[in-house]
Amino acid sequence: KFDRKITPNEMSMLRNYVEAQMVVYEGRESGDTSGWFYWNFAMEGGVFAEWDFLRGIDEGWIPQVRREILAEDRFGSCETIIERTKDDYSVVHEFPDPKDLPPDLVEDRYFD
């Protein structure tokens, strides 16, 4: 069992990611888009913590859905969200870290 911690920087990036998805998939004009974003309801053990919807709600990086207010009115446009998002890969990490795996489980590919 893994209990992965999500850092504040990762939570901020995830929050912006979720908000942008909500803005895009909701679509301001009828017919712009159809659908909603996909997330897993719950993930056992925290291995893929970033895909755990309930954890995201509990930790605040997935905002509560408010049907009476458009996502774009709550969070701004995608451009606004992009501008406030730290644009680097410091929060992106392979999991599990290939360096921690036994050699027979590591695929023949390059890792940083």
Side-chain angles (χ1 to χ4, degrees):
K1 179 177 176 175
F2 296 95
D3 187 19
R4 294 188 51 222
K5 303 292 182 213
I6 299 177
T7 68
N9 285 342
E10 290 168 329
M11 285 188 199
S12 176
M13 185 276 303
L14 287 167
R15 174 75 184 220
N16 289 338
Y17 180 70
V18 171
E19 289 178 1
Q21 284 190 14
M22 292 174 87
V23 168
V24 168
Y25 290 122
E26 186 173 88
R28 180 171 282 283
E29 301 297 325
S30 177
D32 282 352
T33 62
S34 61
W36 200 247
F37 64 91
Y38 173 79
W39 227 272
N40 287 304
F41 190 66
M43 296 296 295
E44 290 186 31
V47 175
F48 300 104
E50 298 86 350
W51 293 105
D52 189 325
F53 180 81
L54 292 178
R55 182 173 177 168
I57 293 288
D58 288 344
E59 293 180 354
W61 47 267
I62 294 181
Q64 296 282 338
V65 174
R66 295 181 56 194
R67 300 182 126 184
E68 71 277 6
I69 302 174
L70 291 172
E72 189 169 352
D73 292 338
R74 287 180 66 195
F75 311 124
S77 67
C78 284
E79 291 81 11
T80 303
I81 295 168
I82 289 169
E83 288 171 3
R84 71 170 182 255
T85 303
K86 185 177 178 184
D87 190 16
D88 68 33
Y89 287 98
S90 67
V91 299
V92 179
H93 309 285
E94 261 189 282
F95 185 80
D97 189 330
K99 296 176 200 118
D100 297 334
L101 294 174
D104 60 318
L105 292 181
V106 178
E107 295 177 15
D108 188 22
R109 58 183 176 157
Y110 174 76
F111 295 104
D112 292 305

